[in-house]
Amino acid sequence: MLSISLLSFAKSAVKLKKTLLFALCCLFFSSCELFTPKPEIGLVLAEHFNNKLYKKFDTVSYNQVFLEKLKELRNHLSNPKITSAHYKQNEYKPLLVTRFYANGNLDSLRKYIENSQADGFNPKIFGVDELTRLLAILNRDRFKTIEEVYPLIAELEIKTADALLRYHTFMKYGSINPRKYFNRYYIAVKRPDSVQLDSVLNTADLLAVLRASQQNNKAYLDLKKALAFYRDSLKTENHSAITLIKLNMERMRWQMPINLEEAVVVNIPDFSLTWFLKQDTLAHMNVCVGAKREETYAEKMKVFLKSRKLDDKPKNHETPQLVSVFNAVQVNPIWNIPVSIAQSEIYYQAIKDPYYLSNNNIKVYFRGKLVNDPDTIRWGRYAREKLPFQFKQGAGEGNALGKFKFVFDNSSSIYLHDTNNKYGFKLKNRAISHGCVRIEDPLQFAQLMVKDKYQYDNLRMEVDLPPLDTTRNTKYRKILAKKADTLKRFKLKPAWFATRKNVAVVITYYTAWVENGKVEVRPDVYNYDGQLWEAVKKYM
């Protein structure tokens, strides 16, 4: 009996041990599940809706759905590479929905996008309808299983990211990069890079990003008010006045690459120059700009590219749009005549009149050496296309650059200068130059440009004007006497003067703006408005 009891006890002990071991295993696994971190999106939605369903959010299952949705939508994204890299780096977490849904910031994004119409945009280009639809589905909170939530969150996250990137870029930098659409647009406008766009997606303050995307300069805001006024007055979107305002708002969104605290702004369609120092206007004057290129330019260029004959080459003297910084003033400049002008104009003038060159103080160089008697050159022996000469017009009266040349670095050999032909400033259409900008009052311009009054007096004396400082009159009389000395042959040479630092020059193109509460409109002298509209109309 005793042996049977001991045997039964042993069996019971083994059974109890197994039971305890099973209980411990269950306790262990339940504790592991208890301490496994839940995805933040699940906790946020569970708390927001007071719905435990979202606590079942499984990261692995969601990630698979997200990757499939990203692949499906990739070709419709404005920045697919940046978007894909961002989510890969962040383990495909729905950061935007997690951070900004419950606090209402995604609704704020939607409202900002809706209000983009006031800036000339069509809100649909930012996917506002899709955002509205997806947010409405999430707001209803009618999911029966957690698997129904995954595709909705994935799509909302991806489309929110795309809307944010597109909105930020278009509002802050413009809908296009003008360098891709205009041959003579040489301004390296600021555009957002991948690092900046990734920081937008990583933001912890969505409202701050949206506020920073807005344009805040007065000229832009004035046009924005004008757009609202015209819409209310005309009761239509399809009007040339509204289109014109939209085009110039787009131009104002293009960000300049340098500091413009003090800048000389040449507006080609207005044929004017304005010197700004912060909010103050230091000078305003008329200018002459480059002539419009020939009609049917594109067709003629095709012919020229085949024939390579200069007679077939169409003319294009349009002044390029550019930005730079002044670095020198040349007084009594020498004009290094461009090859194109030598071939198309100087060549024919020299054939027609043997004394044209000497009468216009134009010197001829062959292989870098001065030709002493250019009037004896038999021009008919030389083909225009292979003209072996270089031409320079000497300083002094009759020089096409006048008495002043204002120099800044650029790749187009463009500069601002005086002119010996003042009649051009009386013309209504002053697109008459070979590309450089002629200014109406170069002496005032020079006074603002040089470093101090002493330098300005030196400059005045170089062009036979008395100094403002009368104590320097003795020096001035000596300079005049030297120039008038007929016994010693006087040769006028260019004089160089340094400019004040950081005075920018911007050559730009605006056909509409607001001045004194009124919309000012100028002719589209180079026909750029039509080109720009073709590029941006799909966004407007």
Side-chain angles (χ1 to χ4, degrees), residues 151-392:
L152 186 281
I153 297 298
E155 187 172 359
L156 178 59
E157 178 70 20
I158 294 168
K159 290 185 175 178
T160 296
D162 189 58
L164 178 58
L165 291 182
R166 194 186 296 262
Y167 179 85
H168 170 75
T169 301
F170 281 29
M171 289 292 295
K172 192 174 181 66
Y173 301 95
S175 59
I176 67 165
N177 183 342
R179 300 186 76 187
K180 295 181 179 180
Y181 294 89
F182 298 97
N183 290 333
R184 294 206 169 192
Y185 193 97
Y186 298 142
I187 302 173
V189 292
K190 291 182 180 179
R191 301 293 294 179
D193 59 20
S194 59
V195 174
Q196 183 179 350
L197 292 179
D198 187 65
S199 71
V200 168
L201 294 180
N202 275 313
T203 183
D205 191 341
L206 181 58
L207 294 181
V209 170
L210 295 172
R211 286 192 293 266
S213 302
Q214 308 305 304
Q215 297 289 327
N216 55 19
N217 71 78
K218 185 178 183 302
Y220 182 91
L221 296 178
D222 286 345
L223 267 186
K224 189 172 179 177
K225 290 178 182 177
L227 178 60
F229 174 78
Y230 274 81
R231 280 171 167 162
D232 290 341
S233 302
L234 299 170
K235 305 299 181 183
T236 179
E237 194 73 13
N238 300 317
H239 193 280
S240 58
I242 289 178
T243 298
L244 187 62
I245 291 174
K246 289 180 180 180
L247 290 175
N248 286 280
M249 290 177 73
E250 171 68 12
R251 288 180 172 122
M252 289 183 183
R253 286 189 283 263
W254 300 339
Q255 289 197 19
M256 296 294 105
I258 64 174
N259 182 3
L260 300 180
E261 187 173 81
E262 184 173 6
V264 173
V265 179
V266 175
N267 185 13
I268 294 171
D270 191 43
F271 307 121
S272 72
L273 171 157
T274 307
W275 193 316
F276 294 102
L277 177 57
K278 296 181 180 178
Q279 301 301 318
D280 296 328
T281 299
L282 302 186
H284 181 81
M285 63 187 71
N286 292 331
V287 300
C288 297
V289 298
K292 177 184 174 181
R293 68 184 186 179
E294 284 188 50
E295 297 295 338
T296 65
Y297 176 87
E299 290 78 5
K300 290 182 178 179
M301 181 56 73
K302 290 179 182 178
V303 174
F304 167 72
L305 291 175
K306 289 183 179 180
S307 70
R308 293 295 175 180
K309 294 180 180 179
L310 286 177
D311 289 331
D312 294 333
K313 187 176 182 179
K315 293 180 180 178
N316 183 3
H317 297 309
E318 292 176 355
T319 298
Q321 295 176 70
L322 55 82
V323 62
S324 188
V325 177
F326 288 102
N327 55 43
V329 179
Q330 189 181 34
V331 181
N332 298 317
I334 290 176
W335 183 30
N336 294 304
I337 301 174
V339 173
S340 59
I341 297 177
Q343 292 174 337
S344 62
E345 297 179 26
I346 303 298
Y347 177 81
Y348 286 124
Q349 293 289 354
I351 289 177
K352 187 188 302 182
D353 178 4
Y355 303 107
Y356 170 80
L357 297 171
S358 56
N359 288 341
N360 287 276
N361 195 20
I362 296 176
K363 293 179 171 55
V364 182
Y365 295 82
F366 179 74
R367 295 179 180 176
K369 293 184 178 180
L370 178 65
V371 177
N372 292 321
D373 193 2
D375 299 337
T376 62
I377 296 175
R378 296 168 63 185
W379 297 101
R381 296 174 57 188
Y382 302 98
R384 271 200 310 148
E385 293 84 349
K386 298 180 181 180
L387 207 58
F389 302 104
Q390 297 81 46
F391 301 85
K392 295 184 180 184

Side-chain angles (χ1 to χ4, degrees), residues 34 53 276 335 341 398 400 402 465 524 527 530:
L34 180 66
L53 172 69
F276 294 102
W335 183 30
I341 297 177
L465 292 174
D524 181 17
N527 294 336

